[in-house]
Every structure is written in C-alpha cells, then in structure tokens.
C-alpha cells in the first residue's frame, strides 16, 4: 500500500491509498490455440500387426 494523498477537513482525516500489486501476482494472459488436424492424422497408426 502506498499513501497518495491525505487531508484533514472538519475534524475528519481522509487518506487515499494506492494498492500496488507485484508483477508476479498480476493475472497473465495465455494464448490458447486449437489444432485443425483430424484425430487419426494426429495419432500415428501401426500397420502389419494384428492381435489374435
């Protein structure tokens, strides 16, 4: 917290505070991409071997 302003008026003290958030605590944006490849193209298939 940081005091940015303070004033005393009619017997009342008013203090303005500014909350400074460290960079590590700030929310981040993460880009999410989607794949347009079909599922069978993405997973390699083995040919020639069959289970009995």
């Amino acid at each position: 917290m940081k005091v940015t302003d303070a004033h005393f008026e009619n017997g009342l003290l008013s203090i303005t505070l500014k909350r400074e958030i460290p960079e590590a605590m700030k929310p981040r944006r993460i880009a999410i991409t989607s794949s347009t490849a079909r599922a069978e193209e993405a997973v390699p298939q083995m040919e020639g071997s069959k289970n009995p």
Side-chain angles (χ1 to χ4, degrees):
M1 293 285 212
K2 183 177 181 180
V3 177
T4 58
D5 186 33
H7 63 277
F8 188 76
E9 185 178 330
N10 296 328
L12 182 64
L13 177 62
S14 296
I15 301 172
T16 305
L17 302 173
K18 182 176 181 183
R19 182 174 158 185
E20 295 181 357
I21 301 172
E23 197 65 36
M25 295 181 69
K26 289 184 181 178
R28 295 182 297 163
R29 290 190 181 260
I30 300 172
I32 299 174
T33 58
S34 63
S35 175
T36 58
R38 296 186 326 191
E40 60 259 8
E41 292 175 357
V43 178
Q45 300 292 323
M46 293 185 68
E47 295 181 23
S49 62
K50 292 185 179 182
N51 292 333

